[in-house]
Amino acid sequence: MRIRSRFSAATLTVTAALLGSLLTALPATAAPSLGTVAVGTGGAVVSDTPQATNAGLAVLRAGGTAADAAVAVAATLGVTDPYVAGIGGGGYLVYYDARTHRVSTIDGRETTPASAEPDLFLDPATGKPLSFPTAVTSGLSVGVPGTLMTWQQALSRWGRFRLADVLRPAEQIADQGFPVTATLREQTRENAGRFAQFGSTSALFLPGGQLPEVGSTMRNPDLAATYRQLGREGADALYGGSIGADVVRTVHNLPLAPGATLQPRPGLMQLPDLAAYRAPFVAPTHVDYRGYDVYGMAPSSSGGTTVGESLNILGNFDLAGMSRVQALHHYLEATRLAFADRNRYVGDSAYTPVPLAQLLSPQFGRQRACLIDPAHASTSPVAPGNPFAGSGGCSPAQPTEARQPDEGTQTNHFVVTDRWGNVASYTNTIEELGGSGIVVPHRGFLLNNELTDFDFTPLQAGVPDPNLPAGGKRPRSSMSPTIVLRGGEPWLALGSPGGATIITTVLQILLDRIDFGMSLPEAIAAPRASQRNAATTQVEPAFLADPAAAGLQQLGQRFAVSSTSPLDPTITIPPDIGVAAGLEFLGHGQVLAAGEPTRRGGTAAGVVAPRR
Ligand code: GLU
C-alpha cells in the first residue's frame, strides 16, 4: 500500500500497513459507544451516527488528517444515514489548514445536465410548473453528483491516505451491516410510499416490502462493492466509468417496480455531464462579527452570504445588553431582511452576477439594520435592498409580491479536527430525505433530487431571478458549513442540515454562543426559530414555551410549527429544525465536540483521547 503525503517522511509516524490493519480491525459492532458531547485531545468527530463518528476516529488514530477522516465519515454516512448522505449527492466542505493558517472551501454542489433549459420543471403539456413532490421523485431532479469529486479534491490537497484506505471502514460496515435505529425506521416510514415505486429502492430499504425492524441488521453489499471499485479505480469510475454509466442508465430507464402507480419523468443526464463535472476550490466568505472571523460557503451556496449579512446587520446592535424579547426580535428581523436579499441576488455566480462584496459589506449591513423597528415586526415578504446604492436613508422595509422559494429540508452536517489542528466542516446531502427516491440498481446508493432547489419559475414577474435552471448550472443552496477563527486560530466549527433553515440555525447557534452566553452544547440544544421573509416564523414547539415568545407576539411576530412532509401533507414528520454538529477549541489542544441530544434521535460526538 502506498501513502500519499505532503508531509516529509520524517513526520510520517504511521505506516500504511498499520493504517490498513487499524482500519480493518474496526468491526462495526465493536465500536465504542458515544455520547452527544465529548471533550479531549488528539482529534474529534461529530456526525449523525456512531458508526460514522467511529470510522472518522479510527482514521484519525491511524494518523489521518481531518480531510482523510472526513471522507471516511462521509462514506460511512452513505451506509448508516443513507437518506441524507452518499455518493449520489453533493455538498460543501470548509477546511482550515493548520499549516497555512488558511480557510478554503470546496464547492461539490451538483450541476444541471448540459441539455437542460430554464423550463426544466415546466409540464410540457400545460406549460405550468410541476408540483414539488412530482418533480422531486423523478429523473428530472437528479443533478450530476459532486460528493465523490469533493472527496478526491480534499484528499489530494490535504490527505495522507488513498481513497481506497479511507473507504475501508464504510465498506466493512456496508458488508457486515448495522443495527436499524428508530430514526432510520421513522425516516423509511415517511418515504415508504415513494420508495415502493422503485424496485431497487424497495429491495434495499423495504425488506420483504415492510419497514425495517428497529434493531434488525441492515446490510448494503452492493454499496460495499461500489466502494471497493472506487478504491481500485478512483473517482473516474463515476465520472466517466461504469458506475457513471449505471447512473445515466438509471435516470433514463427508471427502475420502476411492477405495479408502480407513479409515472415519473426520466432525467437528462448523459456521460459527458459526468465527465465535465468539477468540484472547485472557492474562496470562503468572511465577515468580522464582534472580533470573530466567520468563514462560510460562497455561491453556489447562499449560506455564507446570508449568515454573513445577518451578522453584519446584528453587529449594529448590542444584543447582549437587550432584553431577551428585543434580542430575539432583532434576530428574526435580521434574517427576514437577509432572506429578501438572498432570494433576489444569490445564485450560481458562474451564471448570474452575485454582488458578493456588496452583500457582505458592513455598510450594506448598516443600511439594512436601520430598517428594523424595535416596536414592530415587519410585514413579510419584505423587499430586497439595493446593495449597489449608498446608504439611501432609513425608510421602513417595503412589502413585496415576491413568492418564497420551495426548498427541501434534509441533509447532514459533520465536523472533524485532527492532532495537527486541521478542521473540516462539511455539509453534504442528497436534498430531500431519501433524495429522488431512486436507488441505482446493484450500486446501493440513492440519487439526489438537488435540482429542485432551483426556482421552477421566477419568484416575481418582471424581476430577475438568479436561481432559474440552466444547463451546467448549480442550484442555489442554503448549506452553511462554518469555521470561526479568533485571533487567527480556530475557535468554532459548525453547521446543520435543514434546507433554508440551515442559515437561521447556524446564525442562532452563533448568537447563542457569542452574545447570549450559552455553552456550545446549550446553543445546539436550544429551541429554534427560523424567519425566512415569511408571514410566520417557523418554530419548534419548545420555542413557544420560551417566556420571550409572548413578548415577541406582542411585537407582531407570528409563529407556526411545521410537522408535515413537504412531499405529502398527510405524512407527519418531527417538527425539529436542523441537526447541528459543532466543535469548540478550548486551547491547549483540548476540543469540545457537541452533537444533538435529541433531534434526529441524538447524534454522536467522539474525541481521540478523552479528557479524564
Ligand atoms: N438542498 C438543501 C440545500 O442545498 C440541502 C438539503 C437540506 O438540508 O435541506 O440547501
Side-chain angles (χ1 to χ4, degrees):
M1 189 173 3
R2 189 174 63 89
I3 284 196
R4 300 189 38 269
S5 179
R6 292 179 298 102
F7 295 77
S8 73
T11 66
L12 278 179
T13 52
V14 181
T15 66
L18 177 56
L19 172 75
S21 60
L22 282 170
L23 295 185
T24 44
L26 180 83
T29 45
S33 63
L34 297 163
T36 56
V37 176
V39 181
T41 54
V45 182
V46 186
S47 84
D48 273 6
T49 75
Q51 296 86 359
T53 294
N54 278 322
L57 291 173
V59 170
L60 294 175
R61 288 198 183 97
T65 64
D68 293 310
V71 177
V73 172
T76 306
L77 289 169
V79 182
T80 57
D81 209 4
Y83 306 149
V84 300
I87 59 170
Y92 299 93
L93 174 64
V94 178
Y95 198 84
Y96 173 81
D97 183 340
R99 223 173 40 127
T100 61
H101 301 281
R102 289 173 66 96
V103 179
S104 311
T105 79
I106 300 176
D107 180 335
R109 185 66 159 174
E110 295 89 337
T111 55
T112 309
S115 63
E117 299 284 345
D119 64 0
L120 181 66
F121 291 115
L122 302 188
D123 184 336
T126 64
K128 297 251 172 1
L130 299 175
S131 75
F132 185 70
T134 302
V136 166
T137 308
S138 81
L140 278 185
S141 67
V142 181
V144 180
T147 289
L148 196 55
M149 191 71 88
T150 308
W151 299 353
Q152 178 173 289
Q153 292 278 71
L155 291 179
S156 63
R157 181 164 292 192
W158 301 298
R160 299 177 73 195
F161 299 119
R162 298 177 315 170
L163 183 62
D165 301 324
V166 291
L167 290 180
R168 196 149 300 136
E171 223 173 87
Q172 211 177 16
I173 292 163
D175 263 333
Q176 296 178 354
F178 65 96
V180 170
T181 60
T183 299
L184 188 61
R185 180 182 160 93
E186 160 63 18
Q187 293 176 332
T188 312
R189 179 192 68 78
E190 293 167 22
N191 279 285
R194 64 192 194 115
F195 283 1
Q197 300 287 315
F198 301 100
S200 49
T201 311
S202 50
L204 185 55
F205 297 126
L206 295 170
Q210 303 296 315
L211 298 182
E213 291 297 334
V214 174
S216 64
T217 299
M218 182 177 278
R219 292 192 179 79
N220 192 341
D222 287 346
L223 185 56
T226 301
Y227 282 164
R228 269 192 288 277
Q229 182 181 345
L230 289 170
R232 284 192 308 274
E233 299 175 16
D236 287 352
L238 176 62
Y239 298 104
S242 64
I243 300 174
D246 284 351
V247 168
V248 168
R249 190 174 313 115
T250 303
V251 299
H252 289 274
N253 304 305
L254 299 174
L256 289 169
T261 50
L262 291 183
Q263 295 180 313
R265 302 257 306 273
L268 302 177
M269 198 190 310
Q270 301 289 353
L271 268 182
D273 293 315
L274 282 157
Y277 184 80
R278 299 287 177 272
F281 291 93
V282 173
T285 60
H286 168 253
V287 298
D288 173 339
Y289 182 67
R290 306 195 201 282
Y292 296 92
D293 289 295
V294 181
Y295 290 92
M297 198 62 227
S300 53
S301 181
S302 61
T305 55
T306 316
V307 171
E309 183 190 333
S310 303
L311 289 171
N312 279 341
I313 294 172
L314 291 169
N316 292 288
F317 304 101
D318 175 17
L319 296 184
M322 288 178 174
S323 70
R324 184 160 168 76
V325 171
Q326 272 300 315
L328 288 171
H329 175 66
H330 281 74
Y331 157 63
L332 299 175
E333 294 300 289
T335 60
R336 191 191 296 281
L337 293 162
F339 266 86
D341 300 326
R342 164 211 189 249
N343 293 347
R344 170 65 186 82
Y345 297 112
V346 184
D348 180 347
S349 48
Y351 286 72
T352 186
V354 179
L356 197 55
Q358 288 88 346
L359 286 173
L360 286 171
S361 79
Q363 189 212 15
F364 187 57
R366 276 195 298 280
Q367 190 181 318
R368 299 298 271 162
C370 86
L371 302 184
I372 296 180
D373 179 346
H376 298 283
S378 301
T379 304
S380 274
V382 296
N386 181 352
F388 304 102
S391 114
C394 204
S395 48
Q398 295 300 311
T400 166
E401 296 297 305
R403 195 167 51 79
Q404 302 308 301
D406 278 332
E407 284 163 75
T409 54
Q410 295 289 343
T411 175
N412 80 89
H413 181 81
F414 69 85
V415 282
V416 183
T417 184
D418 61 27
R419 65 182 78 175
W420 297 281
N422 301 302
V423 185
S425 186
Y426 187 11
T427 316
N428 66 95
T429 183
I430 59 173
E431 217 296 293
E432 276 303 325
L433 187 69
S436 63
I438 305 165
V439 166
V440 182
H442 312 298
R443 294 300 192 177
F445 63 92
L446 280 158
L447 291 171
N448 70 82
N449 66 292
E450 216 71 53
L451 302 186
T452 59
D453 273 355
F454 281 120
D455 299 334
F456 294 6
T457 56
L459 294 179
Q460 187 175 6
V463 178
D465 186 323
N467 191 35
L468 295 175
K473 190 174 176 181
R474 290 159 198 249
R476 178 181 60 215
S477 170
S478 299
M479 289 187 260
S480 311
T482 301
I483 293 181
V484 183
L485 306 189
R486 185 170 59 176
E489 295 293 328
W491 177 59
L492 281 188
L494 78 154
S496 173
T501 70
I502 294 171
I503 289 165
T504 56
T505 292
V506 166
L507 180 68
Q508 201 177 347
I509 292 170
L510 288 173
L511 302 182
D512 281 343
R513 180 71 195 86
I514 295 173
D515 293 292
F516 305 144
M518 291 187 197
S519 68
L520 182 62
E522 286 167 346
I524 287 177
R528 296 193 181 126
S530 178
Q531 169 49 248
R532 306 188 300 282
N533 199 16
T536 54
T537 293
Q538 184 185 344
V539 293
E540 294 181 323
F543 185 86
L544 297 174
D546 188 314
L552 288 164
Q553 279 162 329
Q554 277 165 12
L555 297 177
Q557 302 287 358
R558 297 283 165 265
F559 300 123
V561 171
S562 170
S563 56
T564 56
S565 163
L567 300 183
D568 182 345
T570 66
I571 296 177
T572 56
I573 60 171
D576 298 345
I577 298 177
V579 186
L583 299 173
E584 181 167 334
F585 297 87
L586 306 174
H588 309 290
Q590 298 275 335
V591 59
L592 164 66
E596 292 281 3
T598 58
R599 296 182 185 97
R600 201 171 277 176
T603 61
V607 290
V608 168
R611 184 166 70 184
R612 287 162 202 266

